[in-house]
Every structure is written in structure tokens, then in C-alpha cells.
Amino acid sequence: MDNKILKLKQFIADSKKIVVFSGAGISTLSNIPDFRSSDGLYNQDTNLKFSPEEIISHTFFNKHPQEFYKFYFEKMVYPNALPNIAHKYFADLEKNKTVTIVTQNIDNIHQMAGSSNVIELHGNVNRNYCQKCHKFYSLNDIYKDRKYICDCGGIIKPDVVLYEESLNYNDITRAINAIRNCDMLIVIGTSLMVYPAAGFINYYNKDKLILINRDTTPYDDKADIVIHDDIKDVIEQLQK
């Protein structure tokens, strides 16, 4: 077994409070594309007049909700996606550790896997609200019929953070406090290119910072263990 994996296993065994900071890469095993890899959402040929970054912005949503939802339903919502080996592994850690998930993902899969303490920095596709009357809609309510206009005539908005929008203050506070007070921080499946979320790991000041990502990140030189490998392979080795 790789020395890095052995060291990581020991770190996990020695830690009582663990924060897992997850990005899109953890959900690719559930057949949800990430954003910035060669075959990710931002590099797909969409045949659209606008870039994905433009479409999932606050301005575009307000001006062109129909076009926004066409892209959103086709490219960003995966109602049949299920937890994979990584989601399940971190949920299982709760049996013996205090585990907080701080995720940039909006897919709800950490919760589906059984993680009970999940901080969603960018929201959740399962929550949707009319901007006019504030009626709640689940993903099932709007996905099947591609519904985006409320019964009252208002526009339904997913409870996700679009470009140009701010993160929720309470989520920021909870995430920073969890990172600041944990024994071990595992950063997995994220390029650490999206701010302000990526900057949160600067609040960790101990000696068990782990980066697990297929590609390099701007924080590699700050980590105690860096693993550039397939997430599935890493988790399988941890389970041995």
C-alpha cells in the first residue's frame, strides 16, 4: 500500500473531529460531470450562444429564466444520481468520529449517503422557491414537467448560489468554525479555484491538511499529504 495512504489512514485513526471539504470531483463517480476538467461542464460543446458561466449567473437568470432552466435541467440536475463509494465512506466515518461535510456541491448526495452534518456552501437543487409568493417546490415538483413558473405567476428560483450572488452568512460562519476547530481537514475533489469557498481552508492551522484531487491545486504546497489519483482508488485503499 502507498506510504501516503498509510499515513492518511493513521491520521484518520488519530483524529476525533474531521472536516471533509468536497467539490464536484467527488460526485463524478455518481455520473455528475465536474466543471473545469477536460470533459467537465465548462469544456463541453453546448452549441449555446452563451457560456455556462454566463448562463448560471444571477443576471442571466433574471433576464432569461427559460433559457437558464433549459441549461439547468439538462446539465446541472441529476435526479437519479446515487451516493458513490466516497460519499458512503465519509458517512460511515460518523460511526466513530465527529465528521462535518463542507461541500461546494448542490446535488444533495452527501445527505443521501447518510452524512448528518452537511454545510452546503452553494445550496441544494432539492430546494426551490417562488420569488413572488415564496412557495416551496421540491426538485420532483419542477423537474418532470420542466416547471419554472409558480402557480401565482412568479418565477421559481433554485436555492443555489449563482455567479454574482453571495454565500449565505450563516453557512460561511459554520464552515469557518468547523474548519478552524477540527483536528483534520480532508479536501477532496475540488480544484480550489472558486472563491470565497476555496479560501476557507486557510482557517485550518494544524498539521493534518489532506488534498485529494486528480489535478494539481493552488494549495498543494500547503498540504501535509497531497494525493493526485482517482478518488475511487484512494477510498478503496483506505477501506482495506
Side-chain angles (χ1 to χ4, degrees), residues 20 43 51 70 80 99 133 142 146 149 152 170 179 189 214:
V20 179
N43 293 308
S51 69
K70 184 177 187 300
N80 298 319
V99 180
C133 72
I142 65 173
R146 301 299 196 263
I149 298 177
C152 77
N170 287 336
I179 290 170
R214 186 172 62 181

Side-chain angles (χ1 to χ4, degrees), residues 161-174:
V161 179
L162 304 176
Y163 286 118
E164 304 168 347
E165 294 180 344
S166 300
L167 303 188
N168 178 277
Y169 177 78
N170 287 336
D171 292 334
I172 292 173
T173 302
R174 289 172 61 211

Side-chain angles (χ1 to χ4, degrees), residues 120-166:
E120 300 167 315
L121 296 177
H122 295 151
N124 189 316
V125 297
N126 284 339
R127 299 189 300 265
N128 305 272
Y129 300 93
C130 173
Q131 296 185 113
K132 185 177 180 181
C133 72
H134 309 295
K135 179 179 178 179
F136 171 83
Y137 288 88
S138 70
L139 179 59
N140 288 336
D141 292 334
I142 65 173
Y143 182 78
K144 182 179 179 181
D145 298 321
R146 301 299 196 263
K147 180 185 178 84
Y148 67 94
I149 298 177
C150 178
D151 300 331
C152 77
I155 301 297
I156 300 167
K157 184 183 183 298
D159 188 14
V160 300
V161 179
L162 304 176
Y163 286 118
E164 304 168 347
E165 294 180 344
S166 300

Side-chain angles (χ1 to χ4, degrees), residues 6-230:
L6 289 172
K7 186 176 181 181
L8 176 53
K9 285 172 72 81
Q10 190 60 53
F11 276 2
I12 293 172
D14 293 342
S15 300
K16 295 181 179 179
K17 296 173 68 174
I18 298 173
V19 168
V20 179
F21 186 95
S22 70
I26 199 172
S27 291
T28 55
L29 295 172
S30 298
N31 296 316
I32 299 177
D34 62 12
F35 292 88
R36 289 173 172 77
S37 66
S38 58
D39 54 353
L41 184 63
Y42 290 169
N43 293 308
Q44 294 179 10
D45 182 10
T46 59
N47 294 317
L48 296 172
K49 293 184 295 183
F50 304 94
S51 69
E53 294 97 325
E54 290 177 278
I55 294 172
I56 55 177
S57 70
H58 178 82
T59 297
F60 191 92
F61 174 81
N62 284 336
K63 288 183 177 179
H64 312 285
Q66 185 174 7
E67 289 84 352
F68 168 89
Y69 267 107
K70 184 177 187 300
F71 179 85
Y72 179 75
F73 284 136
E74 291 179 358
K75 299 293 185 179
M76 298 188 67
V77 175
Y78 294 83
N80 298 319
L82 296 172
N84 61 56
I85 187 174
H87 296 107
K88 293 174 182 177
Y89 174 80
F90 292 120
D92 286 343
L93 272 186
E94 286 191 21
K95 295 174 182 176
N96 302 301
K97 313 283 182 183
T98 298
V99 180
T100 302
I101 307 291
V102 178
T103 187
Q104 300 174 87
N105 298 338
I106 59 175
D107 52 36
N108 196 56
I109 300 183
H110 279 295
Q111 291 93 325
M112 290 172 62
S115 290
S116 63
N117 187 17
V118 182
I119 302 170
E120 300 167 315
L121 296 177
H122 295 151
N124 189 316
V125 297
N126 284 339
R127 299 189 300 265
N128 305 272
Y129 300 93
C130 173
Q131 296 185 113
K132 185 177 180 181
C133 72
H134 309 295
K135 179 179 178 179
F136 171 83
Y137 288 88
S138 70
L139 179 59
N140 288 336
D141 292 334
I142 65 173
Y143 182 78
K144 182 179 179 181
D145 298 321
R146 301 299 196 263
K147 180 185 178 84
Y148 67 94
I149 298 177
C150 178
D151 300 331
C152 77
I155 301 297
I156 300 167
K157 184 183 183 298
D159 188 14
V160 300
V161 179
L162 304 176
Y163 286 118
E164 304 168 347
E165 294 180 344
S166 300
L167 303 188
N168 178 277
Y169 177 78
N170 287 336
D171 292 334
I172 292 173
T173 302
R174 289 172 61 211
I176 289 174
N177 286 339
I179 290 170
R180 182 182 280 144
N181 295 312
C182 69
D183 304 324
M184 180 179 186
L185 175 59
I186 302 174
V187 181
I188 184 167
T190 173
S191 63
L192 293 174
M193 298 289 284
V194 177
Y195 286 84
F200 290 177
I201 70 171
N202 289 318
Y203 288 93
Y204 180 75
N205 58 8
K206 301 183 182 70
D207 58 358
K208 297 188 183 77
L209 172 58
I210 317 302
L211 293 185
I212 304 170
N213 195 53
R214 186 172 62 181
D215 303 316
T216 59
T217 81
Y219 288 82
D220 284 7
D221 61 344
K222 294 177 168 53
D224 300 286
I225 300 176
V226 178
I227 300 175
H228 294 306
D229 203 349
D230 183 82

